[in-house]
């Protein structure tokens, strides 16, 4: 007898979801026993690691990843990671196990009130009315995840998998096509805005992190001869950061933002919110006289943009058409003075303690150009942006939501999804502890990632914020914690580095062959907190 489970597996295959990231429980056992040989099961030891790894896999593969969670406890543990996946615009299909449908009305042990538990972060939530509707729900979730780029949930009672599939309806479209072209009228309107500018600037964001968009934006920037800046808190790089026209990252406070944008009469943001900030400050984003426009493929991003003009369009096609219609500005030097001399952290004392900037400078010296750098080091992020440019699409990845626990599982998922790309995660020791369990998954499945832990034995960014607020922090340092020891206990090779000579030797040996790693490695580097640096 063909079962709902059999039909569901066929739908998964149809959508390329043949890798399942999971931390299962009893309500998922009926789906998983006798698992088909052509599907790959990846176990993680916490739901945050499950979703984090799937997020990295989905981003690099540009297709939905399949996640399996265990009723209320599993979905509840995963909510923060699902929020990160939504803001990182990662397509996920999330199957959530539920108690047996036949006695749900009595709310038996492990029955979950699952709808709404993840809030508004899922792009779709389905609770099939009958078992035979499960395969179609999975197909619809795959389409929703792909088109709306976020997690789509399907809640499945445990007995549904064994039900007969004889009357399963046509589950969902076998293929769903969306427009890939650019509206000529919208292109002309944005091109006219740029043509009328005397001092334009481009702001790029995570949505522009695509090879074709990079190429088109490079052409556009060179025609305009204008600086290109990365959005504040960008989760991915939207432009080659080693290009002469790249002028660095925008600040995340309005006062400095107004100063940076002051020379420009037109600012065009592409694939970025306009413009996301962190501390609240009074006043506008830009000074009077600066016209602002946005091009994005995210309707919600466009709807909330404080812009004169917002355009929703597929970015590769739109940017290519825009560059083609934008004439080269006369008299504009290629990489002129306004893009020169981007600030870099001051050199550290060679006789002083190692700092995060020292580690990042050594990393930049030998990091392969095609490497994916996954970042989660809040106190050293400005130094990382200044010292380690993203030179290829997907060269940089971080958690757009800002929550911790993303980098280690995401790095593993990226390498699993794109084994041809070298992958390094740079994390703080405080950050690493939120999903340290992901090292077991990387070690067990032979995922070759390098995890560099900047270990200052505390929450350095929180210490800085406390100082800015003029008070003493009540939290203690955690000098007793050994990240390398925890890694070893999880089956992951690890070494601790405490001096410059050892750091240079380790990175000099590891980085040239980073892509050949067949198991994870943790380098725990003891560092003193970096002095405050605002590029």
């Amino acid at each position: 007898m063909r079962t709902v489970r059999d039909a569901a597996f066929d739908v998964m295959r149809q959508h390329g979801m043949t890798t399942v990231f999971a931390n299962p429980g009893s309500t998922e056992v009926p789906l998983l026993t006798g698992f088909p040989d052509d599907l790959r099961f990846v176990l993680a030891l916490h739901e945050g690691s499950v979703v984090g790894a799937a997020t990295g896999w989905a981003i690099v593969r540009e297709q939905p990843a399949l996640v399996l969670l265990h009723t209320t406890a599993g979905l509840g543990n995963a909510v923060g990671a699902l929020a990160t996946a939504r803001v990182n615009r990662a397509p996920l299909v999330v199957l959530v196990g539920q108690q047996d449908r036949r006695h749900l009305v009595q709310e038996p042990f492990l029955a979950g009130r699952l709808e709404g538990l993840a809030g508004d972060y899922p792009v779709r939530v389905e609770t099939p009315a009958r078992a035979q509707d499960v395969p179609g729900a999975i197909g619809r979730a795959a389409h929703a995840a792909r088109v709306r780029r976020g997690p789509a949930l399907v809640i499945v009672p445990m007995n549904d998998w064994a039900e007969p599939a004889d009357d399963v309806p046509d589950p969902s479209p076998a293929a769903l096509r969306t427009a890939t072209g650019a509206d000529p009228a919208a292109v002309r309107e944005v091109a006219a805005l740029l043509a009328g500018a005397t001092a334009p600037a481009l702001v790029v964001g995570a949505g522009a992190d695509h090879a074709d968009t990079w190429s088109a934006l490079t052409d556009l920037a060179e025609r305009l001869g204008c600086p290109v800046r990365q959005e504040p808190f960008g989760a991915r790089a939207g432009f080659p950061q080693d290009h002469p026209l790249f002028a660095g990252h925008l600040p995340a406070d309005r006062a400095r933002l107004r100063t940076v944008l002051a020379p420009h009469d037109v600012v065009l943001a592409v694939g970025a919110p306009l413009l996301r900030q962190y501390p609240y400050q009074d006043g506008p984003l830009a000074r009077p006289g600066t016209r602002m426009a946005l091009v994005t493929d995210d309707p919600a991003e466009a709807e909330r943009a404080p812009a004169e003009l917002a355009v929703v369009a597929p970015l590769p096609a739109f940017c290519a058409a825009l560059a083609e219609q934008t004439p080269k500005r006369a008299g504009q030097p290629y990489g002129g003075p306004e893009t020169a001399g981007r600030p870099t952290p001051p050199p550290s004392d060679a006789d002083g303690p190692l700092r995060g900037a020292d580690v990042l400078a050594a990393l930049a010296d030998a990091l392969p150009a095609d490497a994916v750098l996954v970042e989660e080091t809040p106190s050293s992020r400005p130094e990382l942006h200044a010292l380690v440019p993203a030179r290829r699409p997907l060269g940089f990845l971080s958690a757009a939501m800002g929550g911790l626990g993303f980098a280690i599982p995401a790095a593993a998922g990226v390498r699993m999804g794109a084994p041809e790309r070298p992958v390094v995660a740079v994390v703080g020791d405080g950050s690493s502890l939120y999903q340290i369990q992901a090292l077991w998954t990387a070690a067990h499945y032979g995922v070759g990632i390098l995890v560099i832990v900047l270990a200052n034995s505390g929450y350095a960014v929180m210490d800085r914020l406390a100082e800015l607020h003029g008070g003493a922090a009540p939290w203690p340092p955690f000098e007793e914690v050994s990240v390398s020891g925890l890694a070893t206990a999880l089956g992951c090779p690890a070494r601790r580095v405490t001096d410059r000579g050892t750091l240079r030797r380790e990175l000099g040996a590891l980085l040239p062959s980073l892509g050949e790693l067949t198991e994870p490695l943790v380098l725990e580097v003891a560092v003193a907190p970096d002095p405050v640096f605002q590029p």
Side-chain angles (χ1 to χ4, degrees):
M1 180 185 70
R2 179 173 165 80
T3 65
V4 166
R5 178 178 182 266
D6 297 326
F9 283 143
D10 285 344
V11 172
M12 295 173 194
R13 295 181 182 106
Q14 175 187 330
H15 289 277
M17 297 186 298
T18 56
T19 298
V20 182
F21 297 88
N23 185 272
S26 57
T27 53
E28 293 71 57
V29 169
L31 172 66
L32 296 174
T33 51
F35 205 60
D37 292 339
D38 64 322
L39 302 184
R40 184 185 189 190
F41 182 89
V42 177
L43 176 67
L45 304 184
H46 185 277
E47 290 82 359
S49 294
V50 172
V51 175
T55 298
W57 191 95
I59 286 172
V60 77
R61 296 289 286 261
E62 297 184 326
Q63 69 180 74
L66 188 64
V67 172
L68 183 62
L69 301 176
H70 174 52
T71 191
T72 310
L75 180 57
N77 282 345
V79 168
L82 290 171
T84 293
R86 175 67 184 273
V87 183
N88 272 90
R89 300 163 76 181
L92 306 180
V93 173
V94 183
L95 303 182
V96 184
Q98 175 64 292
Q99 246 285 7
D100 192 301
R101 185 188 293 272
R102 292 169 293 187
H103 66 159
L104 271 178
V105 69
Q106 279 89 38
E107 293 197 10
F109 181 67
L110 287 179
R113 298 182 182 182
L114 302 173
E115 287 189 83
L117 185 58
D120 293 332
Y121 289 112
V123 299
R124 187 183 187 95
V125 177
E126 293 233 12
T127 54
R130 60 190 190 123
Q132 287 73 23
D133 296 329
V134 168
I138 294 172
R140 290 187 294 275
H143 289 312
R146 183 181 289 109
V147 172
R148 298 176 62 190
R149 292 203 284 177
L153 273 57
V154 182
I155 299 166
V156 187
M158 61 189 296
N159 65 302
D160 281 9
W161 301 113
E163 293 295 313
D166 295 340
D167 59 345
V168 169
D170 292 337
S172 61
L176 192 156
R177 307 294 182 214
T178 56
T180 58
D183 175 27
V187 173
R188 288 194 297 270
E189 192 171 3
V190 177
L193 185 66
L194 292 174
T198 58
L202 298 180
V203 175
V204 296
D209 189 15
H210 185 281
D212 294 341
T213 310
W214 274 37
S215 176
L217 287 175
T218 300
D219 185 13
L220 177 63
E222 291 173 359
R223 287 170 181 258
L224 294 170
C226 74
V228 181
R229 292 182 173 86
Q230 178 76 29
E231 62 167 320
F233 299 108
R236 295 165 67 175
F239 189 83
Q241 295 177 351
D242 57 347
H243 191 284
L245 288 172
F246 183 68
H249 290 67
L250 285 178
D253 62 275
R254 292 187 178 222
R256 288 195 299 146
L257 181 63
R258 287 192 291 270
T259 299
V260 171
L261 298 182
H264 306 293
D265 59 340
V266 171
V267 175
L268 174 64
V270 180
L274 193 72
L275 288 162
R276 187 161 64 153
Q277 300 286 282
Y278 176 46
Y280 174 75
Q281 289 180 334
D282 289 329
L285 293 171
R287 293 177 179 174
T290 299
R291 305 173 70 187
M292 304 183 77
L294 170 68
V295 179
T296 177
D297 58 1
D298 182 351
E301 201 166 73
E303 290 161 3
R304 63 176 178 262
E308 173 183 330
L309 171 65
V311 176
V312 179
L315 293 181
F318 189 96
C319 292
L322 180 61
E324 190 174 301
Q325 293 192 28
T326 301
K328 182 175 177 60
R329 289 202 303 155
Q332 294 302 314
Y334 179 79
E338 59 185 346
T339 65
R342 294 192 297 273
T344 56
S348 63
D349 181 0
D351 297 324
L354 266 174
R355 297 190 182 274
D358 299 320
V359 181
L360 296 169
L363 177 65
D365 285 346
L367 186 67
D370 63 339
V372 182
L373 190 155
V374 188
E375 176 270 331
E376 195 169 83
T377 174
S379 61
S380 297
R381 185 177 292 128
E383 288 81 3
L384 187 147
H385 285 327
L387 293 168
V388 192
R391 293 170 285 172
R392 300 285 190 278
L394 203 66
F396 175 82
L397 176 63
S398 70
M401 190 67 185
L404 301 179
F406 174 77
I408 297 177
V414 166
R415 188 68 200 270
M416 294 173 79
E420 74 282 0
R421 296 286 297 265
V423 178
V424 57
V426 179
V427 301
D429 52 353
S431 302
S432 72
L433 299 176
Y434 282 79
Q435 285 302 326
I436 195 75
Q437 302 97 324
L439 292 174
W440 177 88
T441 300
H444 181 81
Y445 293 100
V447 183
I449 58 173
L450 174 62
V451 180
I452 299 176
V453 179
L454 304 181
N456 54 34
S457 300
Y459 296 129
V461 71
M462 293 291 291
D463 294 340
R464 288 181 180 175
L465 291 172
E467 291 169 6
L468 289 174
H469 282 268
W475 50 84
F478 40 85
E479 297 169 348
E480 304 87 350
V481 172
S482 167
V483 176
S484 54
L486 290 170
T488 302
L490 289 165
C492 176
R495 297 195 280 272
R496 182 171 170 84
V497 174
T498 58
D499 62 89
R500 286 175 171 76
T502 304
L503 174 68
R504 291 282 178 180
R505 285 194 299 274
E506 290 281 7
L507 294 182
L510 286 167
L511 293 177
S513 57
L514 186 59
E516 300 170 15
L517 284 180
T518 57
E519 64 178 0
L521 174 65
V522 169
L523 282 187
E524 182 186 18
V525 186
V527 295
D530 284 297
V532 176
F533 168 65
Q534 292 184 318

